[in-house]
């Protein structure tokens, strides 16, 4: 099935149904027809048929997953009209409740956490978190993934996992841009460990929160000697910790084999930004980071002494113990170079090699000191034209101190069809109307230049990021209020999170258009449209019938086999219905089976509540749906990485629970 889902020519890409998809459709149809002959009612037969159709559409991506989900919802709605022809007394889902998913607690919570995450990002707070992680972890997958995953896992043990994932989504986006690692290599480990972290405490996920109430309800039907004790806040921590560690190790060791590198990644991880300028102007410069060693002949010289002669352009500096100096007002030609100074240099590779050799400099393999300040999301190469009437006509870049005044480090001057470069005295040439300047600049400086009548900015496709650091206090306040309500009150999760979201808007952290833009509507429609299917599975008796059939098969087997079957059922049901619904359905069944098998019913109940977090194979879990769009994942990506994670989850959960309980 995974191989089929990986096929490149899917209908999503080509608009045609492939032969393999047709064969798979025939197999699923045959399976649905066979199930119709063994189920106890026509209603259950139709629901299983819809389940088969959903699994087929998701696995083979005949249409995108959100379109598939909406289609299933519409078909369930039409069952009310077609009930007489389907042999039903009424539709599979009451149309009055068909769209309840759009106002459900889960969907409204997801909308709220997206807005809260965008608000925190807007203040620059997420950039600082990302910079801190990069400082500790560098720019390699094997160091960044454990830091992100461990952080998200711990946070999600005390708040809803989708909230923890949404909080870190902008952080991962920043890290992706600055480390140039595709988001698809980072978001899946973050999302999976957010789910795993929800198993570390009894408040980490909805099923675990609900479990003790279900235990007390089940006790009413049990004799005194068999009644169960409720679980404490950290009773489940050893199991959850083992699962979290397993998830982190899985991606560290096997990530390069199972993590995709999607085509629809963040634009900040795209092609070389210099390629366009190399093609048009022949400018083949690259950005490097150099360290001035003790005893270097460069010490004491000013920028002006070396830049033109050695054809290099210094655009950033940092002294030990000081902050980076980048952008307008930071650097000028009279800056003196000191021992230990780190230089951000843009130059032709040959000129750079000569500069390094002559002055005995250390060239770093990757940007480290300036990884954040000079990332593609913060700075790059741009084209700027001098218009007629500009006050700069007749003046040179040196006359106006262009790098210091405007934050524009000129690396090329295009005039009359000819491109002049660094080393050809371009900074001393008087500017003419119509001159095109090829400059290295920060995007924030370029945004200001756009409003300056002395320039016409040709480069328009660049990240325009208006941060509001002055609003960080309001953002932190409303995030703290939302988090406190989640942890310390009984109010619904959606209400608590929407309090924080609307607070972000009312306080000016975000405007309402930015709040709407922060929401991934594909995710919203995917989740909301699947909720009616889960309702049909539960109310029709389909879930109970499947559970009973499985448990009849394993009823006479060893206790651990029965427990594994219960865990497997919970895993299956959480893929097609809400984890809360699966828990409510299976806990009473699991308790009764445990009593009959002479096992501990409380352990069986806990097995159900933990196993409902084993949701990695398809993007129906809120967290998986949240990360699918930004990373450009396909269902086959989840099946590949999530299939192995599902097996590891069951194995580690069974081992730790049997050792502990």
């Amino acid at each position: 099935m995974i191989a089929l889902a990986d096929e490149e020519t899917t209908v999503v890409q080509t608009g045609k149904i492939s032969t393999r998809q047709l064969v798979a459709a025939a197999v699923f149809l045959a399976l649905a027809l066979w199930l119709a002959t063994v189920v106890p009612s026509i209603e259950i037969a139709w629901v299983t048929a819809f389940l088969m159709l959903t699994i087929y559409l998701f696995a083979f991506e005949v249409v995108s997953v959100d379109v598939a989900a909406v289609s299933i919802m519409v078909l369930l709605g039409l069952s009310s009209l077609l009930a007489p022809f389907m042999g039903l007394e009424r539709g599979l889902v009451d149309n009055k409740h068909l769209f309840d998913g759009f106002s459900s607690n889960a969907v409204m919570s997801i909308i709220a956490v997206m807005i809260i995450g965008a608000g925190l990002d807007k203040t620059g707070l997420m950039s600082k978190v990302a910079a801190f992680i990069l400082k500790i972890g560098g720019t390699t997958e094997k160091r960044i993934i454990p830091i992100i995953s461990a952080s998200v896992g711990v946070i999600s043990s005390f708040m809803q996992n989708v909230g923890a994932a949404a909080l870190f989504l902008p952080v991962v986006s920043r890290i992706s841009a600055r480390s140039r690692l595709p988001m698809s290599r980072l978001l899946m480990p973050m999302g999976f460990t957010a789910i795993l972290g929800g198993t570390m405490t009894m408040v980490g996920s909805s099923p675990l929160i609900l479990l003790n109430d279900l235990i007390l309800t089940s006790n009413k039907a049990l004799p005194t000697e068999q009644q169960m004790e409720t679980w404490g806040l950290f009773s489940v921590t050893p199991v959850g910790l083992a699962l979290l560690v397993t998830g982190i190790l899985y991606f560290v060791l096997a990530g390069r084999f199972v993590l995709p590198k999607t085509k629809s990644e963040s634009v900040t991880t795209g092609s070389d930004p210099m390629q366009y300028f190399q093609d048009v102007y022949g400018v083949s410069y690259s950005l490097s980071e150099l360290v001035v060693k003790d005893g270097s002949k460069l010490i004491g010289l000013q920028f002006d002494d070396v830049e033109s002669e050695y054809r290099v352009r210094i655009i950033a500096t940092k002294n030990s113990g000081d902050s980076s100096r980048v952008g307008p007002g930071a650097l000028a030609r009279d800056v003196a170079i000191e021992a230990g100074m780190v230089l951000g240099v843009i130059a032709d590779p040959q000129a750079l090699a000569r500069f390094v050799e002559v002055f005995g400099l250390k060239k770093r393999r990757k940007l480290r000191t300036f990884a954040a300040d000079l990332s593609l999301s913060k700075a790059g190469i741009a084209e700027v034209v001098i218009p007629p009437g500009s006050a700069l006509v007749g003046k040179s870049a040196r006359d106006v101190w262009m790098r210091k005044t405007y934050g524009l480090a000129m690396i090329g001057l295009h005039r009359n069809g000819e491109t002049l470069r660094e080393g050809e005295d371009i900074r001393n040439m008087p500017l003419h109307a119509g001159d095109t300047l090829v400059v290295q600049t920060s995007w924030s400086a370029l945004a200001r230049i756009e409003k300056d009548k002395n320039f016409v900015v040709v480069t328009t496709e660049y990240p325009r990021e208006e941060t509001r650091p002055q609003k960080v206090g309001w953002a932190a306040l409303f995030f703290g209020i939302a988090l406190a309500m989640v942890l310390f009150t009984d109010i619904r999760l959606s209400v608590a999170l929407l309090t924080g979201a609307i607070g972000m808007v009312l306080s000016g952290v975000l405007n309402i258009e930015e709040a709407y833009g922060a929401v991934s509507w594909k995710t919203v429609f995917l989740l909301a449209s699947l909720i009616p299917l889960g309702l049909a599975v539960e109310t029709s008796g389909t879930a109970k019938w499947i559970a009973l059939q499985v448990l009849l098969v394993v009823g006479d087997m060893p206790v651990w086999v029965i427990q594994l079957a219960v865990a497997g059922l919970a895993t299956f049901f959480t893929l097609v219905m809400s984890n809360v619904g699966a828990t409510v359905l299976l806990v009473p069944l699991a308790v009764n089976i445990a009593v009959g098998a002479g096992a501990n019913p409380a352990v069986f109940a806990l097995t159900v509540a933990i196993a409902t977090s084993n949701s990695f194979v398809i993007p129906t879990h809120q967290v998986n749906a949240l990360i699918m769009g930004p990373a450009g994942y396909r269902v086959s990506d989840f099946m590949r990485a999530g299939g192995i994670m599902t097996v590891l989850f069951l194995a580690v959960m069974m081992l730790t629970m049997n050792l502990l309980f």
Side-chain angles (χ1 to χ4, degrees):
M1 186 178 291
I2 294 175
L4 294 176
D6 275 339
E7 187 179 16
E8 289 293 329
T9 55
T10 63
V11 72
V12 175
Q13 296 168 313
T14 66
K16 298 180 181 179
I17 301 292
S18 70
T19 302
R20 290 185 176 183
Q21 288 171 334
L22 289 174
V23 171
V27 171
F28 273 80
L29 178 60
L31 181 59
L33 291 173
W34 173 77
L35 285 171
T37 65
V38 298
V39 297
S41 70
I42 186 67
E43 189 176 24
I44 293 178
W46 278 110
V47 172
T48 54
F50 276 111
L51 273 176
M52 291 294 103
L53 176 60
T54 304
I55 294 171
Y56 168 71
L57 292 176
F58 274 23
F60 294 91
E61 295 184 272
V62 179
V63 291
S64 63
V65 288
D66 53 328
V67 174
V70 173
S71 300
I72 294 298
M73 179 183 67
V74 171
L75 288 174
L76 288 170
L78 290 175
S79 68
S80 296
L81 178 65
L82 302 175
F85 304 99
M86 298 168 66
L88 301 171
E89 294 182 6
R90 59 182 183 275
L92 296 174
V93 176
D94 187 343
N95 280 353
K96 292 180 180 179
H97 300 289
L98 186 65
F99 304 114
D100 285 359
F102 289 92
S103 60
S104 69
N105 187 57
V107 171
M108 295 307 296
S109 297
I110 263 202
I111 291 173
V113 294
M114 289 176 180
I115 295 172
I116 290 174
L120 292 171
D121 190 35
K122 199 64 165 177
T123 65
L125 193 60
M126 295 297 99
S127 291
K128 294 178 181 178
V129 174
F132 176 73
I133 291 176
L134 281 172
K135 183 178 179 181
I136 298 175
T139 57
T140 62
E141 277 185 31
K142 288 193 174 182
R143 294 184 65 182
I144 289 176
I145 286 176
I147 295 172
I148 294 175
S149 299
S151 302
V152 172
V154 172
I155 291 172
S156 67
S157 67
F158 290 99
M159 67 182 294
Q160 292 291 310
N161 42 37
V162 67
L167 178 64
F168 264 75
L169 185 58
V171 174
V172 174
S173 177
R174 303 284 178 181
I175 291 172
S176 171
R178 296 172 189 183
S179 66
R180 302 193 182 184
L181 293 172
M183 284 184 69
S184 57
R185 308 288 293 181
L186 302 176
L187 276 184
M188 192 173 285
M190 184 273 285
F192 280 17
T193 49
I195 296 173
L196 294 171
T199 64
M200 288 178 61
T201 68
M202 293 298 290
V203 297
S205 66
S206 298
L208 287 170
I209 293 172
L210 185 63
L211 180 61
N212 282 337
D213 289 338
L214 293 175
I215 285 176
L216 294 175
T217 301
S218 296
N219 279 343
K220 296 177 181 178
L222 294 175
T224 305
E225 66 276 7
Q226 292 181 332
Q227 290 194 349
M228 299 171 282
E229 294 289 333
T230 55
W231 297 95
L233 179 62
F234 298 107
S235 298
V236 75
T237 299
V239 180
L241 188 59
L243 290 170
L244 180 62
V245 171
T246 299
I248 294 173
L249 290 176
Y250 168 53
F251 283 113
V252 169
L253 299 176
R256 63 194 181 106
F257 304 109
V258 300
L259 288 172
K261 186 175 182 179
T262 61
K263 295 180 181 179
S264 52
E265 296 160 359
S266 169
V267 294
T268 57
T269 61
S271 60
D272 184 356
M274 284 299 301
Q275 187 62 48
Y276 166 78
F277 293 96
Q278 183 174 345
D279 294 341
V280 175
Y281 300 115
V283 176
S284 58
Y285 290 176
S286 60
L287 185 61
S288 304
E289 200 167 276
L290 309 178
V291 180
V292 181
K293 296 181 180 179
D294 291 339
S296 171
K297 297 177 182 178
L298 195 60
I299 298 171
L301 297 180
Q302 297 180 351
F303 289 5
D304 208 28
D305 298 327
V306 295
E307 286 187 314
S308 293
E309 181 179 351
Y310 292 94
R311 305 171 70 94
V312 299
R313 202 76 166 104
I314 302 172
I315 59 174
T317 67
K318 184 181 185 303
N319 287 315
S320 179
D322 295 338
S323 57
S324 300
R325 298 178 64 189
V326 183
L331 299 176
R333 60 178 181 263
D334 58 355
V335 171
I337 299 169
E338 302 174 18
M341 181 181 279
V342 182
L343 307 176
V345 177
I346 188 165
D348 176 273
Q350 292 181 344
L352 181 72
R354 177 170 172 256
F355 184 59
V356 169
E357 182 181 0
V358 169
F359 292 105
L361 307 175
K362 177 184 177 182
K363 182 177 181 291
R364 289 176 173 169
R365 293 177 59 190
K366 292 183 178 181
L367 292 186
R368 192 169 73 197
T369 301
F370 307 117
D373 295 314
L374 298 181
S375 69
L376 297 183
S377 64
K378 288 290 188 71
I381 311 298
E383 294 169 282
V384 178
V385 174
I386 304 299
S390 170
L392 302 182
V393 173
K395 299 178 181 178
S396 68
R398 183 180 294 274
D399 291 335
V400 298
W401 295 70
M402 188 171 288
R403 174 172 41 191
K404 182 177 182 179
T405 305
Y406 299 104
L408 303 177
M410 188 164 63
I411 60 176
L413 173 63
H414 189 74
R415 176 184 293 173
N416 300 326
E418 182 184 3
T419 301
L420 305 173
R421 299 169 181 78
E422 183 67 43
E424 297 182 70
D425 206 30
I426 57 176
R427 279 176 281 157
N428 281 318
M429 293 180 178
L431 297 172
H432 295 178
D435 282 352
T436 299
L437 312 183
V438 182
V439 299
Q440 199 287 335
T441 182
S442 66
W443 301 134
S444 58
L446 193 62
R448 287 193 293 271
I449 293 299
E450 279 191 310
K451 303 172 184 177
D452 191 324
K453 64 181 181 180
N454 293 312
F455 300 93
V456 173
V457 176
V458 178
T459 302
T460 57
E461 297 300 320
Y462 65 90
R464 289 171 173 80
E465 186 172 7
E466 178 198 351
T467 57
R468 301 184 181 114
Q470 73 277 10
K471 296 288 186 179
V472 67
W474 286 109
L477 172 65
F478 284 107
F479 172 68
I481 290 173
L483 185 60
M485 292 173 71
V486 169
L487 295 178
F488 305 117
T489 73
D490 294 329
I491 198 168
R492 292 189 81 190
L493 177 66
S494 54
V495 177
L497 294 174
L498 280 170
T499 301
I502 197 63
M504 297 276 187
V505 174
L506 293 175
S507 62
V509 176
L510 295 172
N511 60 46
I512 192 62
E513 287 77 18
E514 290 167 337
Y516 290 144
V519 178
S520 171
W521 296 107
K522 179 176 181 175
T523 300
V524 170
F525 273 83
L526 171 62
L527 290 178
S529 301
L530 284 176
I531 286 176
L533 178 61
L535 183 64
V537 170
E538 189 172 353
T539 58
S540 66
T542 304
K544 187 174 182 179
W545 175 77
I546 294 173
L548 290 174
Q549 298 309 304
V550 172
L551 296 173
L552 282 174
V553 173
V554 299
D556 296 327
M557 294 185 180
V559 170
W560 71 268
V561 175
I562 300 174
Q563 185 184 2
L564 180 60
V566 169
L569 276 173
T571 298
F572 170 73
F573 282 134
T574 198
L575 296 176
V576 296
M577 60 192 294
S578 74
N579 51 11
V580 171
T583 304
V584 171
L585 176 76
L586 289 178
V587 164
L589 286 172
V591 168
N592 289 332
I593 291 166
V595 170
N600 186 337
V603 172
F604 269 54
L606 183 61
T607 299
V608 170
I610 294 176
T612 51
S613 291
N614 191 10
S615 184
F616 307 104
V617 178
I618 54 178
T620 52
H621 192 283
Q622 298 169 25
V623 172
N624 292 337
L626 178 69
I627 65 176
M628 188 175 186
Y633 292 131
R634 298 171 58 194
V635 175
S636 57
D637 297 324
F638 284 97
M639 294 175 69
R640 182 187 302 109
I644 300 172
M645 188 69 246
T646 297
V647 174
L648 288 173
F649 187 106
L650 289 172
V652 172
M653 182 192 72
M654 289 294 298
L655 178 63
T656 53
M657 289 193 72
N658 280 281
L659 287 175
L660 292 169
F661 308 121

